[in-house]
Amino acid sequence: MEGICGRKGDRMIKKWYRVQKLKAIFILALAVVFTNAVVSYSNTVKLISNQEWVTFSYKVVTELESIQSKLKDTETAQRNYLITADADDLQTYLAAYQKTNSNIRIISKLTAQSHQKRQWISLLEPKISNRLNILQQEISLRQNQGFEAVRQRILSDKDKQSSKEIQQLIHDSLEVEQNLLHQGMQQSQASSQKAIVTFFIAAVVDLVLVTLLYDLLWRYIRQLQQTELALRQSENRLRAMIDAEPECIQLIAKDGTILEINAEGLAMMEVESADVLIGKPIDAVIVPEYRAAFADLHKSVCQGNKGTLEFEIVGFQGTRRYMETHAVPLGNESDGTFIHLALMRDITQQKQAEQKIREQGLLLDVSSDAILVRNLHNQILFWNQGAERLYGWKTAEVVGKNVLQLLYKDISPQLEDAYLRVMNTGEWRGELHQLTRESKVIIVESRWILIRDDNGHPKSILSVNTEITQQKQLEAQLLRSQRLESIGTLAGGIVHDLNNILSPILMSVQLLQKKLPDSQSQQILQTLENNVKRGANLLKQVLSFARGIEGKQTIVQIQPLMAEIEQIITQTFPKSIICQTDIPKNLWYVRGDATQLHQVLINLVVNARDAMPNGGILRIAAENLVIGEHSAQINIDAKVGSYIAIVVTDTGMGMSSEVQQRIFEPFFTTKEVGKGTGLGLSTALGIIKNHGGFVNVYSQVGRGTQFTVYLPASTSRDTHLLSPELESVAGDG
């Protein structure tokens, strides 16, 4: 008895010691946390103070820069007014004058508390005020006595010296203040780093204390749990049965006999009372071919492992069912052994549905369209052979993956609208841009159908996709041709009217040149004549585009024409541009206008030059080419036959897809104002089409551009019509 009382007393002393230890650690943790809070607060106050100082210094620098800028604006507007006497310039000067005074007042307020800054502000203010008074006096002088009177005063050294002194004073003040701002920012950064290090150390200390406290609490809880061990052992079986409902739940002994089974399990076994099954071997209801697999699973579970298995059973009334069991070992604390807790689920309908899907899948594989099924989480469930052919992925590679990440570069508003539409109405139809395995963008006509389960809830989405990439490309080429034809018709009418306007202007200029022989008039009239002729040339290009570039055509040899282009490039283009040519001697002939073809090539190489302002490689190549039926179907302007392909490639800036769609539109240009008319490529396209050819463009931003011109080759019997100017060149070659 005394021994029991002694052991009880020892346990009480140990318990009291643990409680006191917990209290001490808790008080220590509070003290450390409070200390860390005080240190963090002190660092934060210092950091805020430094930040306020930096902000103040930044405002001073900003106002000084604004005064410098506005003072320049005031002088510029005043000079413009003195020269032009324009009221708008006077208004601009007054606005800048007021803004300068406003900035001076602001910086005076900012520096009111700083003695050092007030010293140079006191020097700056009278100089600026004096300068503004001088500007005002000059304006009054201009208004009262005219420009010549004020001109002498502007040219005086005193006027220039006053402006230089102000600018130098502002520059010196800015330099000093910017140095102070830099120092303040460095101090602020040092304070921030110190605060971070302090916070990190405090966090580590707090973590150590919390870990120690947690360890003591956990040990204390473990002691309490041991007192409840016997109660938990008696409740485990009941809790497992309740948590797993309404599935079939069985407890199976180590020898394979049934210990317990719930009501749902009795219904599946087709018995009314548990007494029929308790104590009986579980494999009595299992179909013979699955008994060995179930025995292996049972043995593994009794060794403490989890497992799953699909098998088939036969109820006592002969009904066959597919079952899926999740086996869990249930420990016996008294002897350390395990019994088998089985949670079984009837998957007969699922198996039948899978079989039906497999049968339907064989039928869907016959379709040439891409057919796929995904769940509401966008995971692919079905992928037919048509989808394999269209996208390039095999079924095993895509099942279970996210269809949005697989087939789409990004989630477009159209895709989001399609998903909402199919969820609301049950179906959707439209066009989508998708990616293949090789990252090739294709266009598909897609039909979506929402599939529901037996309860009418959305289950999955069936998609049927038909590729229409080639069809859309042909439609785009046709629309572009129609748009250019309409613009050409409109431009032709406008050009005639503008030519009628420019003709009398040019005649009048020529008459005035004869009547006004003085040099100033001749210079102005010459400028006017040049601009009128430039406008006439521009209208000539527009008219050529509108009329389809009709001209006299002969048999033209491409090789000497390209050699002439190469010579022009070598002589006139910057040396930073390297020209490479690949011109075979056996090129076929082309029936066309040599001058117009020369214009096309000049336009392409000049555009290539402009695309490489910092230099690069310009490559010109040509080859004989025969276009078959398949290639002719891809391009709406191509026809089956022999062609000469002329390729002009540069390594310049490249073009975006949006720019590529518009480069052949008249008056569209990406060049600066005055450096391009926007008619070069549209005229070139008109020439190429008039020769029965077509052009392809490939470009990537930052990687360059390639133009490929296809011109129909002339038959050999027409070579006697070779143009005279090219016959000599051909003979020399």
Side-chain angles (χ1 to χ4, degrees):
M1 186 69 176
E2 291 177 357
I4 296 174
C5 291
R7 288 194 296 271
K8 184 176 181 181
D10 291 339
R11 288 196 297 271
M12 293 295 292
I13 292 173
K14 291 180 180 179
K15 183 177 180 180
W16 180 85
Y17 177 78
R18 285 196 298 270
V19 172
Q20 296 302 319
K21 188 176 180 180
L22 288 173
K23 289 182 178 178
I25 293 178
F26 181 76
I27 293 173
L28 177 61
L30 287 178
V32 172
V33 170
F34 178 78
T35 302
N36 292 339
V38 172
V39 174
S40 299
Y41 175 78
S42 176
N43 291 334
T44 303
V45 170
K46 292 180 180 179
L47 188 61
I48 292 173
S49 177
N50 288 336
Q51 189 63 35
E52 290 177 350
W53 189 87
V54 169
T55 302
F56 166 76
S57 183
Y58 177 77
K59 289 181 179 179
V60 173
V61 170
T62 302
E63 289 301 326
L64 281 173
E65 292 176 343
S66 179
I67 289 174
Q68 189 178 36
S69 174
K70 291 303 177 182
L71 188 58
K72 289 182 179 179
D73 293 343
T74 304
E75 292 180 348
T76 301
Q78 191 256 11
R79 289 292 185 267
N80 291 339
Y81 173 75
L82 295 180
I83 295 172
T84 63
D86 190 347
D88 292 337
D89 292 333
L90 181 60
Q91 292 299 324
T92 304
Y93 158 76
L94 293 176
Y97 180 94
Q98 294 175 359
K99 183 61 179 178
T100 302
N101 288 329
S102 175
N103 289 337
I104 293 175
R105 290 194 296 271
I106 292 174
I107 198 168
S108 297
K109 292 181 180 179
L110 285 175
T111 58
Q113 303 299 325
S114 176
H115 177 71
Q116 182 181 4
K117 291 182 176 59
R118 285 302 305 167
Q119 290 180 348
W120 53 260
I121 286 296
S122 62
L123 295 175
L124 180 62
E125 282 182 323
K127 289 182 178 295
I128 293 178
S129 298
N130 182 51
R131 180 58 181 164
L132 293 177
N133 290 334
I134 292 174
L135 295 178
Q136 185 62 36
Q137 292 172 6
E138 290 175 352
I139 288 178
S140 299
L141 186 61
R142 174 66 172 87
Q143 292 174 343
N144 297 328
Q145 301 181 21
F147 174 77
E148 189 61 31
V150 79
R151 178 172 168 270
Q152 298 299 326
R153 181 166 182 171
I154 293 175
L155 297 177
S156 66
D157 293 335
K158 181 179 180 180
D159 184 81
K160 297 179 181 179
Q161 185 64 26
S162 174
S163 178
K164 289 181 179 179
E165 289 177 357
I166 294 174
Q167 294 298 329
Q168 184 62 37
L169 183 58
I170 294 177
H171 177 268
D172 295 341
S173 302
L174 271 174
E175 186 175 1
V176 172
E177 196 63 32
Q178 287 174 346
N179 291 334
L180 293 175
L181 177 61
H182 181 68
Q183 294 175 3
M185 293 178 67
Q186 289 181 338
Q187 293 177 0
S188 179
Q189 185 177 5
S191 300
S192 300
Q193 293 176 350
K194 181 180 178 181
I196 293 173
V197 172
T198 304
F199 176 79
F200 178 78
I201 295 174
V204 172
V205 173
D206 292 343
L207 180 61
V208 172
L209 289 174
V210 170
T211 303
L212 181 60
L213 184 61
Y214 174 81
D215 181 69
L216 292 174
L217 288 173
W218 175 246
R219 292 181 182 181
Y220 183 74
I221 292 172
R222 287 285 299 274
Q223 294 294 330
L224 295 178
Q225 289 176 341
Q226 290 179 358
T227 61
E228 300 174 358
L229 181 61
L231 180 61
R232 286 193 295 107
Q233 185 175 1
S234 63
E235 294 176 348
N236 278 342
R237 295 179 181 177
L238 179 60
R239 183 180 297 110
M241 296 286 288
I242 295 174
D243 291 342
E245 238 179 342
E247 308 292 349
C248 170
I249 303 174
Q250 297 184 38
L251 284 176
I252 305 172
K254 191 173 183 179
D255 59 0
T257 58
I258 299 175
L259 297 177
E260 293 185 17
I261 186 170
N262 67 343
E264 185 66 22
L266 295 177
M268 291 182 181
M269 303 297 177
E270 297 180 332
V271 296
E272 295 182 357
S273 174
D275 297 336
V276 179
L277 298 175
I278 300 299
K280 299 296 192 305
I282 182 63
D283 58 3
V285 295
I286 299 176
V287 175
E289 53 263 34
Y290 292 100
R291 289 177 182 175
F294 190 87
D296 293 339
L297 174 65
H298 177 69
K299 181 179 179 180
S300 176
V301 172
C302 291
Q303 293 175 353
N305 303 316
K306 296 180 180 180
T308 59
L309 179 67
E310 292 183 3
F311 60 95
E312 195 174 3
I313 65 172
V314 179
F316 280 80
Q317 296 182 9
T319 304
R320 298 173 69 96
R321 289 184 172 87
Y322 281 99
M323 306 294 293
E324 180 184 43
T325 180
H326 296 272
V328 180
L330 189 62
N332 187 346
E333 289 83 352
S334 59
D335 57 5
T337 60
F338 296 95
I339 59 176
H340 183 170
L341 172 63
L343 287 77
M344 299 184 183
R345 182 168 61 93
D346 188 352
I347 59 171
T348 304
Q349 293 183 355
Q350 177 182 334
K351 285 291 186 181
Q352 293 173 351
E354 290 176 355
Q355 178 63 26
K356 186 176 181 181
I357 290 175
R358 283 194 292 270
E359 294 173 354
Q360 294 174 345
L362 295 176
L363 297 176
L364 294 176
D365 283 336
V366 179
S367 173
S368 59
D369 293 334
I371 302 176
L372 54 122
V373 179
R374 55 172 168 159
N375 60 20
L376 299 183
H377 301 290
N378 295 314
Q379 294 175 321
I380 298 175
L381 306 177
F382 176 77
W383 185 271
N384 77 332
Q385 293 182 3
E388 292 181 357
R389 291 189 293 269
L390 178 59
Y391 300 112
W393 285 287
K394 298 296 182 182
T395 302
E397 297 175 321
V398 300
V399 171
K401 291 188 177 180
N402 191 305
V403 68
L404 301 181
Q405 298 175 356
L406 192 70
L407 298 183
Y408 301 95
K409 185 177 182 180
D410 49 24
I411 307 301
S412 63
Q414 181 189 17
L415 198 60
E416 295 178 351
D417 179 69
Y419 182 80
L420 295 175
R421 183 74 59 85
V422 76
M423 294 301 295
N424 293 331
T425 64
E427 62 179 350
W428 175 83
R429 179 187 297 266
E431 296 178 3
L432 294 174
H433 289 73
Q434 297 179 336
L435 298 176
T436 65
R437 185 170 187 168
E438 293 76 21
S439 298
K440 177 184 177 183
V441 179
I442 61 174
I443 304 174
V444 299
E445 182 180 356
S446 186
R447 287 85 71 195
W448 292 9
I449 299 176
L450 183 65
I451 301 175
R452 301 180 181 272
D453 58 18
D454 296 337
N455 298 323
H457 299 141
K459 179 182 179 182
S460 57
I461 299 175
L462 169 68
S463 300
V464 181
N465 299 331
T466 304
E467 184 182 8
I468 57 172
T469 306
Q470 183 174 337
Q471 174 185 342
K472 299 301 290 185
Q473 290 175 346
L474 293 176
E475 290 178 359
Q477 292 181 12
L478 179 60
L479 289 175
R480 188 178 68 181
S481 298
Q482 293 174 346
R483 183 171 65 252
L484 291 178
E485 182 179 355
S486 299
I487 294 175
T489 302
L490 177 62
I494 296 174
V495 167
H496 283 294
D497 293 338
L498 291 177
N499 271 328
N500 293 333
I501 296 174
L502 291 177
S503 296
I505 295 176
L506 184 59
M507 293 174 63
S508 300
V509 169
Q510 293 172 349
L511 291 175
L512 289 173
Q513 286 176 334
K514 296 178 179 179
K515 292 184 177 181
L516 301 173
D518 60 285
S519 59
Q520 183 177 5
S521 299
Q522 288 293 321
Q523 184 178 1
I524 295 173
L525 292 173
Q526 184 62 43
T527 302
L528 182 58
E529 182 182 7
N530 292 338
N531 281 276
V532 172
K533 290 181 178 180
R534 184 172 179 269
N537 290 331
L538 176 62
L539 294 176
K540 183 178 180 181
Q541 293 185 49
V542 176
L543 188 59
S544 297
F545 169 78
R547 290 177 174 176
I549 323 298
E550 297 180 359
K552 183 179 179 181
Q553 294 189 351
T554 59
I555 299 301
V556 180
Q557 193 175 15
I558 296 298
Q559 183 180 358
L561 193 64
M562 295 181 68
E564 182 180 351
I565 297 297
E566 181 183 3
Q567 183 179 5
I568 293 174
I569 294 173
T570 304
Q571 295 176 352
T572 62
F573 280 23
K575 301 302 180 183
S576 59
I577 296 179
I578 301 174
C579 180
Q580 299 177 352
T581 59
D582 183 9
I583 308 173
K585 295 183 179 180
N586 60 341
L587 284 178
W588 294 328
Y589 296 101
V590 172
R591 186 176 186 85
D593 188 322
T595 302
Q596 293 179 358
L597 294 179
H598 185 276
Q599 180 182 355
V600 171
L601 295 178
I602 283 293
N603 180 268
L604 293 180
V605 297
V606 168
N607 284 344
R609 179 202 64 188
D610 295 341
M612 298 183 290
N614 298 322
I617 298 175
L618 172 58
R619 186 174 185 273
I620 306 174
E623 63 174 339
N624 298 328
L625 186 68
V626 177
I627 294 182
E629 293 184 359
H630 177 71
S631 299
Q633 292 175 355
I634 296 177
N635 195 302
I636 192 172
D637 296 319
K639 297 180 181 179
V640 177
S642 300
Y643 287 80
I644 293 179
I646 303 174
V647 183
V648 178
T649 307
D650 66 72
T651 59
M653 297 177 289
M655 297 181 288
S656 64
S657 57
E658 293 79 6
V659 173
Q660 292 182 51
Q661 293 176 1
R662 300 189 60 193
I663 57 175
F664 293 110
E665 295 181 7
F667 307 107
F668 174 78
T669 179
T670 59
K671 300 178 182 178
E672 299 178 3
V673 177
K675 294 186 177 181
T677 62
L679 291 173
L681 285 177
S682 60
T683 304
L685 180 62
I687 293 173
I688 294 169
K689 286 189 174 182
N690 189 59
H691 284 72
F694 61 96
V695 59
N696 284 339
V697 183
Y698 175 78
S699 181
Q700 284 186 318
V701 177
R703 295 189 177 183
T705 303
Q706 176 177 294
F707 282 85
T708 304
V709 177
Y710 297 88
L711 298 174
S714 179
T715 59
S716 59
R717 64 176 179 270
D718 292 333
T719 56
H720 66 280
L721 299 176
L722 187 66
S723 58
E725 65 271 17
L726 293 179
E727 282 184 348
S728 59
V729 179
D732 295 340

